[in-house]
Amino acid sequence: MAVYILRRVISAIGVMAMVGIFVFLLLRLAPGDPADMIAGRNATPEMVAAIRERLGLNESLPRQFINWVRDMVGGDFGTSIFAARPVLELISQRLEPTISLSLLTMIVSVTVGVSFGVLASWRARGLVDRILTAFATLGFSVPVFVVGFFLIYLFAVKTRWLPVQGYQPIDHGFWPWLVHLILPTVTLSIPYIAFIARITRASMLEVLSEDYMRTAAAKGASSYAMLFHHALKNAGVPILTVIGLSFAGLIGGVVITETVFNIPGVGRLVVDAINNRDYPIIQGVLILVSGLYVLINLAVDLSYTLIDPRIRY
Protein backbone atom coordinates (compact mmCIF):
# COMPACT_ATOMS: atom_id res chain seq x y z
CA MET A 1 0.00 0.00 0.00
CA ALA A 2 2.80 2.43 0.90
CA VAL A 3 4.56 1.73 -2.41
CA TYR A 4 1.31 2.28 -4.31
CA ILE A 5 0.67 5.60 -2.54
CA LEU A 6 4.24 6.71 -3.30
CA ARG A 7 3.78 5.86 -6.97
CA ARG A 8 0.53 7.79 -7.09
CA VAL A 9 2.10 10.82 -5.40
CA ILE A 10 4.95 10.83 -7.93
CA SER A 11 2.40 10.49 -10.73
CA ALA A 12 0.36 13.34 -9.24
CA ILE A 13 3.42 15.60 -9.23
CA GLY A 14 3.92 14.88 -12.93
CA VAL A 15 0.25 15.59 -13.65
CA MET A 16 0.36 18.88 -11.75
CA ALA A 17 3.51 19.89 -13.63
CA MET A 18 1.79 19.27 -16.97
CA VAL A 19 -1.30 21.16 -15.81
CA GLY A 20 0.87 24.09 -14.70
CA ILE A 21 2.64 24.29 -18.06
CA PHE A 22 -0.65 24.04 -19.96
CA VAL A 23 -2.40 26.71 -17.88
CA PHE A 24 0.56 29.06 -18.05
CA LEU A 25 0.97 28.81 -21.83
CA LEU A 26 -2.77 28.88 -22.52
CA LEU A 27 -3.21 32.19 -20.74
CA ARG A 28 0.02 33.80 -21.92
CA LEU A 29 -0.45 32.91 -25.59
CA ALA A 30 -4.15 33.87 -25.72
CA PRO A 31 -5.02 37.06 -27.65
CA GLY A 32 -5.09 40.32 -25.70
CA ASP A 33 -2.83 42.10 -23.25
CA PRO A 34 -3.88 42.60 -19.62
CA ALA A 35 -1.72 45.73 -19.47
CA ASP A 36 -3.87 47.34 -22.16
CA MET A 37 -7.05 46.44 -20.26
CA ILE A 38 -5.71 47.83 -16.99
CA ALA A 39 -4.43 51.05 -18.56
CA GLY A 40 -7.67 51.78 -20.42
CA ARG A 41 -8.36 53.13 -23.88
CA ASN A 42 -6.83 56.55 -23.29
CA ALA A 43 -3.52 55.26 -21.93
CA THR A 44 -0.25 56.26 -23.52
CA PRO A 45 2.32 53.66 -24.64
CA GLU A 46 4.51 54.72 -21.72
CA MET A 47 1.74 53.91 -19.24
CA VAL A 48 1.18 50.49 -20.82
CA ALA A 49 4.92 49.78 -20.77
CA ALA A 50 5.11 50.73 -17.09
CA ILE A 51 2.26 48.36 -16.25
CA ARG A 52 3.89 45.53 -18.19
CA GLU A 53 7.11 46.13 -16.31
CA ARG A 54 5.32 46.09 -12.96
CA LEU A 55 3.54 42.82 -13.81
CA GLY A 56 6.70 41.19 -15.16
CA LEU A 57 5.17 40.70 -18.61
CA ASN A 58 8.29 42.05 -20.34
CA GLU A 59 10.33 39.05 -19.26
CA SER A 60 10.64 35.94 -21.40
CA LEU A 61 8.06 33.16 -21.03
CA PRO A 62 10.54 30.72 -19.41
CA ARG A 63 11.54 33.37 -16.86
CA GLN A 64 7.90 34.20 -16.12
CA PHE A 65 7.12 30.49 -15.66
CA ILE A 66 10.10 29.92 -13.32
CA ASN A 67 9.13 32.91 -11.21
CA TRP A 68 5.53 31.75 -11.05
CA VAL A 69 6.41 28.19 -9.99
CA ARG A 70 8.93 29.45 -7.41
CA ASP A 71 6.37 31.77 -5.81
CA MET A 72 3.61 29.14 -5.92
CA VAL A 73 5.75 26.50 -4.19
CA GLY A 74 6.39 29.07 -1.47
CA GLY A 75 2.64 29.54 -1.00
CA ASP A 76 2.39 32.79 -2.97
CA PHE A 77 -0.14 32.42 -5.78
CA GLY A 78 0.37 36.01 -6.81
CA THR A 79 -1.67 39.17 -6.59
CA SER A 80 -4.82 39.90 -8.55
CA ILE A 81 -4.16 42.32 -11.38
CA PHE A 82 -7.43 44.20 -10.94
CA ALA A 83 -8.26 43.72 -7.25
CA ALA A 84 -4.62 44.26 -6.16
CA ARG A 85 -5.08 41.67 -3.41
CA PRO A 86 -3.51 38.23 -2.84
CA VAL A 87 -5.11 35.48 -4.91
CA LEU A 88 -5.43 33.08 -1.98
CA GLU A 89 -7.23 35.77 0.02
CA LEU A 90 -9.75 36.32 -2.78
CA ILE A 91 -10.29 32.57 -3.20
CA SER A 92 -10.74 32.01 0.55
CA GLN A 93 -13.42 34.71 0.67
CA ARG A 94 -15.38 32.87 -2.02
CA LEU A 95 -14.98 29.35 -0.67
CA GLU A 96 -18.02 29.15 1.63
CA PRO A 97 -20.71 29.48 -1.08
CA THR A 98 -18.89 27.05 -3.38
CA ILE A 99 -18.24 24.46 -0.67
CA SER A 100 -21.84 24.73 0.58
CA LEU A 101 -23.26 24.27 -2.90
CA SER A 102 -20.87 21.41 -3.74
CA LEU A 103 -21.47 19.44 -0.53
CA LEU A 104 -25.26 19.81 -0.69
CA THR A 105 -25.19 18.80 -4.35
CA MET A 106 -23.20 15.65 -3.66
CA ILE A 107 -25.35 14.68 -0.67
CA VAL A 108 -28.51 15.01 -2.75
CA SER A 109 -26.96 13.40 -5.83
CA VAL A 110 -25.58 10.35 -4.04
CA THR A 111 -28.66 9.79 -1.88
CA VAL A 112 -31.21 10.16 -4.66
CA GLY A 113 -29.06 8.70 -7.45
CA VAL A 114 -28.15 5.49 -5.62
CA SER A 115 -31.74 5.08 -4.38
CA PHE A 116 -33.14 5.50 -7.89
CA GLY A 117 -30.57 3.06 -9.30
CA VAL A 118 -31.32 0.40 -6.69
CA LEU A 119 -35.07 0.82 -7.16
CA ALA A 120 -34.77 0.61 -10.95
CA SER A 121 -32.68 -2.58 -10.75
CA TRP A 122 -35.15 -4.13 -8.31
CA ARG A 123 -38.03 -3.45 -10.71
CA ALA A 124 -35.98 -4.06 -13.86
CA ARG A 125 -37.92 -3.70 -17.12
CA GLY A 126 -41.02 -2.71 -15.18
CA LEU A 127 -42.92 0.57 -15.09
CA VAL A 128 -40.80 2.04 -12.28
CA ASP A 129 -37.61 1.13 -14.12
CA ARG A 130 -38.83 2.74 -17.33
CA ILE A 131 -39.86 5.95 -15.55
CA LEU A 132 -36.57 6.25 -13.70
CA THR A 133 -34.57 5.43 -16.83
CA ALA A 134 -36.45 8.10 -18.77
CA PHE A 135 -35.76 10.62 -15.99
CA ALA A 136 -32.07 9.68 -15.98
CA THR A 137 -31.82 10.10 -19.74
CA LEU A 138 -33.60 13.45 -19.67
CA GLY A 139 -31.65 14.74 -16.68
CA PHE A 140 -28.35 13.81 -18.26
CA SER A 141 -29.26 15.45 -21.58
CA VAL A 142 -30.68 18.85 -20.58
CA PRO A 143 -28.03 21.56 -19.98
CA VAL A 144 -27.65 22.84 -16.44
CA PHE A 145 -28.41 26.47 -17.31
CA VAL A 146 -31.70 25.45 -18.99
CA VAL A 147 -32.79 23.60 -15.85
CA GLY A 148 -31.74 26.57 -13.74
CA PHE A 149 -33.73 29.12 -15.68
CA PHE A 150 -36.77 26.82 -15.73
CA LEU A 151 -36.66 26.34 -11.94
CA ILE A 152 -36.20 30.08 -11.40
CA TYR A 153 -39.25 30.80 -13.55
CA LEU A 154 -41.37 28.12 -11.87
CA PHE A 155 -40.46 28.42 -8.19
CA ALA A 156 -39.19 32.00 -7.90
CA VAL A 157 -41.02 34.07 -10.51
CA LYS A 158 -44.40 32.33 -10.77
CA THR A 159 -44.97 30.90 -7.29
CA ARG A 160 -42.48 33.08 -5.34
CA TRP A 161 -41.75 30.16 -3.03
CA LEU A 162 -37.98 30.54 -3.22
CA PRO A 163 -35.56 33.43 -3.75
CA VAL A 164 -34.45 34.09 -7.30
CA GLN A 165 -30.75 34.67 -6.73
CA GLY A 166 -28.11 35.40 -4.12
CA TYR A 167 -26.55 33.66 -1.16
CA GLN A 168 -26.82 33.95 2.61
CA PRO A 169 -23.87 32.83 4.80
CA ILE A 170 -24.68 30.10 7.26
CA ASP A 171 -23.81 32.37 10.20
CA HIS A 172 -26.85 34.49 9.22
CA GLY A 173 -29.08 31.53 10.05
CA PHE A 174 -29.44 27.96 8.86
CA TRP A 175 -32.84 28.44 7.21
CA PRO A 176 -31.92 31.50 5.08
CA TRP A 177 -28.72 29.67 4.06
CA LEU A 178 -30.66 26.55 3.04
CA VAL A 179 -33.48 28.40 1.25
CA HIS A 180 -31.04 30.26 -1.01
CA LEU A 181 -29.31 26.98 -1.91
CA ILE A 182 -32.38 24.86 -2.72
CA LEU A 183 -32.75 25.93 -6.37
CA PRO A 184 -29.00 25.90 -7.16
CA THR A 185 -28.60 22.51 -5.49
CA VAL A 186 -31.51 20.93 -7.37
CA THR A 187 -30.27 22.46 -10.63
CA LEU A 188 -26.74 21.15 -10.22
CA SER A 189 -27.84 17.78 -8.79
CA ILE A 190 -30.06 16.63 -11.65
CA PRO A 191 -27.32 15.55 -14.12
CA TYR A 192 -25.34 13.87 -11.34
CA ILE A 193 -28.43 12.06 -10.04
CA ALA A 194 -29.04 10.81 -13.57
CA PHE A 195 -25.44 9.69 -14.03
CA ILE A 196 -25.16 7.93 -10.67
CA ALA A 197 -28.58 6.29 -11.08
CA ARG A 198 -27.67 4.84 -14.48
CA ILE A 199 -24.36 3.39 -13.27
CA THR A 200 -25.95 2.07 -10.08
CA ARG A 201 -28.70 0.36 -12.05
CA ALA A 202 -26.25 -1.28 -14.45
CA SER A 203 -23.93 -2.44 -11.66
CA MET A 204 -26.80 -3.76 -9.56
CA LEU A 205 -28.28 -5.70 -12.48
CA GLU A 206 -24.92 -7.33 -13.12
CA VAL A 207 -24.58 -8.40 -9.49
CA LEU A 208 -28.22 -9.54 -9.19
CA SER A 209 -27.67 -11.93 -12.10
CA GLU A 210 -24.86 -13.79 -10.26
CA ASP A 211 -25.36 -17.31 -8.98
CA TYR A 212 -24.83 -16.42 -5.33
CA MET A 213 -27.70 -13.93 -5.53
CA ARG A 214 -30.03 -16.62 -6.84
CA THR A 215 -28.81 -18.86 -4.03
CA ALA A 216 -29.60 -16.18 -1.48
CA ALA A 217 -33.09 -15.80 -2.92
CA ALA A 218 -33.61 -19.56 -2.82
CA LYS A 219 -32.64 -19.58 0.85
CA GLY A 220 -35.38 -17.05 1.58
CA ALA A 221 -33.35 -13.84 1.89
CA SER A 222 -35.56 -10.76 1.94
CA SER A 223 -35.52 -8.23 -0.89
CA TYR A 224 -33.98 -5.65 1.44
CA ALA A 225 -31.15 -8.00 2.46
CA MET A 226 -30.47 -8.99 -1.14
CA LEU A 227 -30.42 -5.42 -2.42
CA PHE A 228 -28.55 -3.60 0.34
CA HIS A 229 -26.56 -6.27 2.20
CA HIS A 230 -25.38 -8.28 -0.79
CA ALA A 231 -25.92 -6.61 -4.16
CA LEU A 232 -25.17 -2.97 -3.34
CA LYS A 233 -21.98 -3.81 -1.48
CA ASN A 234 -20.65 -5.94 -4.33
CA ALA A 235 -21.65 -3.29 -6.88
CA GLY A 236 -19.96 -0.55 -4.87
CA VAL A 237 -16.69 -0.20 -6.79
CA PRO A 238 -18.10 1.27 -10.04
CA ILE A 239 -20.62 3.33 -8.06
CA LEU A 240 -17.88 4.78 -5.88
CA THR A 241 -15.82 5.54 -9.00
CA VAL A 242 -18.69 7.50 -10.52
CA ILE A 243 -19.28 9.38 -7.27
CA GLY A 244 -15.61 10.34 -7.10
CA LEU A 245 -15.56 11.51 -10.72
CA SER A 246 -18.78 13.46 -10.18
CA PHE A 247 -17.41 15.22 -7.12
CA ALA A 248 -14.17 16.06 -8.91
CA GLY A 249 -16.05 17.35 -11.94
CA LEU A 250 -18.38 19.61 -9.99
CA ILE A 251 -16.34 22.74 -10.73
CA GLY A 252 -17.70 23.00 -14.29
CA GLY A 253 -21.29 22.85 -13.12
CA VAL A 254 -20.55 25.17 -10.19
CA VAL A 255 -19.29 27.87 -12.56
CA ILE A 256 -22.51 27.79 -14.59
CA THR A 257 -24.81 27.46 -11.58
CA GLU A 258 -23.19 30.29 -9.63
CA THR A 259 -23.47 32.51 -12.70
CA VAL A 260 -27.16 31.70 -13.23
CA PHE A 261 -28.09 32.19 -9.56
CA ASN A 262 -25.67 35.08 -8.90
CA ILE A 263 -23.84 33.23 -6.11
CA PRO A 264 -20.54 34.93 -5.12
CA GLY A 265 -18.45 31.76 -5.14
CA VAL A 266 -15.23 30.58 -6.74
CA GLY A 267 -17.04 29.92 -10.01
CA ARG A 268 -18.10 33.56 -10.33
CA LEU A 269 -14.58 34.60 -9.38
CA VAL A 270 -13.19 32.57 -12.27
CA VAL A 271 -15.70 34.00 -14.75
CA ASP A 272 -14.86 37.57 -13.71
CA ALA A 273 -11.14 36.80 -13.89
CA ILE A 274 -11.49 35.38 -17.40
CA ASN A 275 -13.39 38.46 -18.56
CA ASN A 276 -10.66 40.71 -17.11
CA ARG A 277 -7.77 38.44 -18.16
CA ASP A 278 -6.65 38.35 -14.54
CA TYR A 279 -3.89 35.74 -14.95
CA PRO A 280 -3.02 35.13 -11.28
CA ILE A 281 -6.60 34.30 -10.25
CA ILE A 282 -7.21 31.97 -13.18
CA GLN A 283 -3.91 30.17 -12.65
CA GLY A 284 -4.40 29.88 -8.88
CA VAL A 285 -7.92 28.45 -9.14
CA LEU A 286 -7.01 25.97 -11.88
CA ILE A 287 -3.98 24.70 -9.97
CA LEU A 288 -5.97 24.28 -6.75
CA VAL A 289 -8.83 22.53 -8.57
CA SER A 290 -6.39 20.22 -10.35
CA GLY A 291 -4.76 19.33 -7.04
CA LEU A 292 -8.15 18.60 -5.51
CA TYR A 293 -9.05 16.41 -8.49
CA VAL A 294 -5.87 14.35 -8.04
CA LEU A 295 -6.49 13.95 -4.29
CA ILE A 296 -10.08 12.82 -4.84
CA ASN A 297 -8.99 10.21 -7.38
CA LEU A 298 -6.36 8.92 -4.96
CA ALA A 299 -8.89 8.74 -2.11
CA VAL A 300 -11.35 6.85 -4.34
CA ASP A 301 -8.69 4.33 -5.38
CA LEU A 302 -7.67 3.71 -1.79
CA SER A 303 -11.28 3.30 -0.65
CA TYR A 304 -11.78 0.35 -3.02
CA THR A 305 -10.11 -1.92 -0.47
CA LEU A 306 -12.75 -1.00 2.11
CA ILE A 307 -15.57 -2.08 -0.20
CA ASP A 308 -13.99 -5.11 -1.84
CA PRO A 309 -11.42 -7.01 0.29
CA ARG A 310 -10.24 -8.84 -2.84
CA ILE A 311 -8.60 -5.65 -4.10
CA ARG A 312 -5.01 -5.26 -2.94
CA TYR A 313 -2.32 -2.78 -3.87
Side-chain angles (χ1 to χ4, degrees), residues 55-115:
L55 298 178
L57 299 177
N58 287 330
E59 299 180 352
S60 63
L61 285 179
R63 174 54 60 183
Q64 291 183 46
F65 180 74
I66 292 173
N67 293 337
W68 175 61
V69 173
R70 181 195 60 208
D71 294 339
M72 187 174 56
V73 171
D76 181 8
F77 281 71
T79 302
S80 170
I81 294 175
F82 284 86
R85 295 167 61 189
V87 171
L88 286 180
E89 178 183 334
L90 293 174
I91 294 176
S92 63
Q93 290 177 348
R94 303 290 191 102
L95 275 180
E96 183 188 333
T98 300
I99 292 176
S100 298
L101 177 58
S102 300
L103 289 180
L104 279 179
T105 297
M106 287 312 302
I107 292 173
V108 172
S109 300
V110 173
T111 303
V112 179
V114 172
S115 300

Side-chain angles (χ1 to χ4, degrees), residues 25-273:
L25 293 178
L26 178 66
L27 296 176
R28 290 304 191 282
L29 299 179
D33 188 347
D36 290 332
M37 299 183 64
I38 295 174
R41 295 182 179 180
N42 300 324
T44 63
E46 291 76 13
M47 295 173 59
V48 175
I51 293 175
R52 289 183 60 83
E53 182 69 26
R54 176 169 59 87
L55 298 178
L57 299 177
N58 287 330
E59 299 180 352
S60 63
L61 285 179
R63 174 54 60 183
Q64 291 183 46
F65 180 74
I66 292 173
N67 293 337
W68 175 61
V69 173
R70 181 195 60 208
D71 294 339
M72 187 174 56
V73 171
D76 181 8
F77 281 71
T79 302
S80 170
I81 294 175
F82 284 86
R85 295 167 61 189
V87 171
L88 286 180
E89 178 183 334
L90 293 174
I91 294 176
S92 63
Q93 290 177 348
R94 303 290 191 102
L95 275 180
E96 183 188 333
T98 300
I99 292 176
S100 298
L101 177 58
S102 300
L103 289 180
L104 279 179
T105 297
M106 287 312 302
I107 292 173
V108 172
S109 300
V110 173
T111 303
V112 179
V114 172
S115 300
F116 279 5
V118 171
L119 183 59
S121 65
W122 181 44
R123 298 298 186 184
R125 290 170 290 277
L127 178 61
V128 174
D129 181 26
R130 295 179 187 276
I131 294 175
L132 295 178
T133 302
F135 166 79
T137 303
L138 182 64
F140 199 66
S141 304
V142 180
V144 172
F145 69 91
V146 174
V147 176
F149 286 128
F150 173 76
L151 293 179
I152 288 175
Y153 175 77
L154 181 61
F155 293 103
V157 176
K158 295 293 291 184
T159 62
R160 301 182 184 275
W161 291 348
L162 297 169
V164 178
Q165 294 178 328
Y167 173 78
Q168 287 291 329
I170 194 169
D171 55 9
H172 290 184
F174 177 78
W175 182 245
W177 170 81
L178 182 62
V179 166
H180 281 81
L181 285 175
I182 290 177
L183 286 183
T185 299
V186 174
T187 299
L188 190 54
S189 297
I190 288 178
Y192 293 107
I193 290 174
F195 189 31
I196 294 173
R198 292 177 66 176
I199 299 301
T200 302
R201 177 186 180 276
S203 301
M204 289 287 292
L205 287 177
E206 182 179 352
V207 173
L208 288 172
S209 65
E210 296 289 340
D211 292 337
Y212 63 84
M213 294 302 299
R214 287 192 289 269
T215 301
K219 290 183 176 181
S222 64
S223 298
Y224 179 86
M226 290 183 60
L227 288 173
F228 294 98
H229 287 245
H230 301 292
L232 185 59
K233 184 177 181 179
N234 287 284
V237 171
I239 297 173
L240 185 61
T241 302
V242 170
I243 293 173
L245 292 175
S246 300
F247 191 83
L250 265 180
I251 185 62
V254 165
V255 170
I256 299 174
T257 306
E258 288 183 352
T259 302
V260 171
F261 290 94
N262 194 27
I263 298 176
V266 177
R268 282 290 305 280
L269 179 66
V270 172
V271 172
D272 295 339

